[in-house]
């Protein structure tokens, strides 16, 4: 039963904590990421982010004029460092380890936030996040794949003709496509199938 006291409490505004500058900005960005990973792009509101950050809506609008600007900055701030390309001595194991790392990043809070944007935004809105996705996800991933393949060429297990930009896009494209369209969460067996059935045969096969 909802009493008059509980109803009044529910109407009370969120009490702002006394934080300023970078501390407050970090709280807002983290609240935006949390909202994206839980309620998604369509469910995210500036009011909800303000409540999550325990601040007022005005504090957000002083820094970001729109939901799109706030989300873009939140995604940029949360992108993990690219890391180091694995070097196990053979391309199969290197690509497998690399894909597991990509999968884990996709399932993290920042990865879930990014997927909600990719899945839910219409084409016009998604274009605003293109540079965030390219610079924070696609290019770092393809750079690591390029390094792994280049080592394979040096070891003689990969044909030099496999050093093609489109070839480096295949693994990230497959992972994003099957995540978005098929709902795949990329367990270890599916990653192994991608490497064994698609990537390794291409890189090791002789040109026709």
């Amino acid at each position: 039963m909802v009493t008059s006291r509980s109803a009044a409490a529910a109407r009370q505004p969120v009490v702002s904590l006394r934080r300023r500058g970078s501390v407050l900005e970090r709280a807002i960005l983290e609240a935006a990421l949390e909202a994206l990973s839980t309620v998604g792009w369509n469910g995210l509101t500036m009011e909800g982010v303000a409540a999550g950050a325990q601040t007022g809506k005005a504090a957000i609008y002083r820094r970001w004029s729109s939901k799109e600007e706030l989300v873009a900055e939140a995604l940029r701030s949360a992108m993990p460092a690219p890391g180091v390309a694995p070097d196990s001595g053979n391309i199969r194991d290197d690509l497998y380890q690399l894909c597991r790392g990509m999968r884990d990043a996709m399932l993290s809070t920042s990865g879930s936030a990014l997927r909600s944007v990719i899945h839910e935004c219409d084409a016009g809105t998604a274009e605003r996040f293109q540079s965030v996705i390219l610079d924070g996800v696609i290019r770092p991933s393809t750079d690591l794949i390029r390094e792994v393949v280049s080592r394979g060429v040096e070891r003689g297990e990969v044909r030099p003709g496999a050093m093609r930009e489109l070839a480096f896009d295949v693994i990230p494209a497959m992972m994003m496509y099957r995540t978005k369209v098929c709902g795949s969460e990329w367990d270890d067996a599916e990653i192994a199938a991608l490497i064994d059935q698609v990537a390794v045969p291409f890189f090791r096969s002789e040109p026709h």
Side-chain angles (χ1 to χ4, degrees), residues 59-178:
I60 299 178
Y61 280 112
R62 280 197 297 270
R63 293 163 172 82
W64 300 279
S65 63
S66 67
K67 172 178 169 178
E68 289 81 4
E69 285 188 9
L70 170 61
V71 168
E73 181 64 24
L75 291 173
R76 285 192 202 96
S77 71
M79 292 298 177
V84 178
D87 188 8
S88 64
N90 69 85
I91 190 170
R92 192 271 178 195
D93 290 347
D94 287 348
L95 290 175
Y96 178 73
Q97 292 179 41
L98 188 56
C99 285
R100 290 186 67 192
M102 291 166 61
R103 183 269 315 277
D104 292 345
M106 290 167 64
L107 296 178
S108 66
T109 299
S110 58
S112 296
L114 179 61
R115 281 187 290 139
S116 77
V117 170
I118 295 172
H119 292 187
E120 297 177 36
C121 287
D122 57 39
T125 303
E127 285 183 2
R128 302 188 182 192
F129 301 108
Q130 186 175 34
S131 64
V132 178
I133 296 169
L134 286 174
D135 295 339
V137 179
I138 303 300
R139 286 178 183 142
S141 298
T142 55
D143 285 346
L144 293 176
I145 294 169
R146 182 184 297 105
E147 184 176 346
V148 165
V149 174
S150 178
R151 287 176 184 162
V153 172
E154 293 172 359
R155 290 192 297 262
E157 62 175 335
V158 174
R159 58 187 176 86
M163 294 292 293
R164 297 284 188 270
E165 291 302 314
L166 284 177
F168 307 141
D169 287 338
V170 169
I171 291 175
M174 281 285 293
M175 294 187 76
M176 292 187 72
Y177 157 73
R178 289 186 63 84

Side-chain angles (χ1 to χ4, degrees), residues 96 99-100 103-104 107 175 184-194:
Y96 178 73
C99 285
R100 290 186 67 192
R103 183 269 315 277
D104 292 345
L107 296 178
M175 294 187 76
S184 172
E185 293 191 356
W186 288 103
D187 60 25
D188 289 352
E190 191 169 11
I191 290 174
L194 171 62

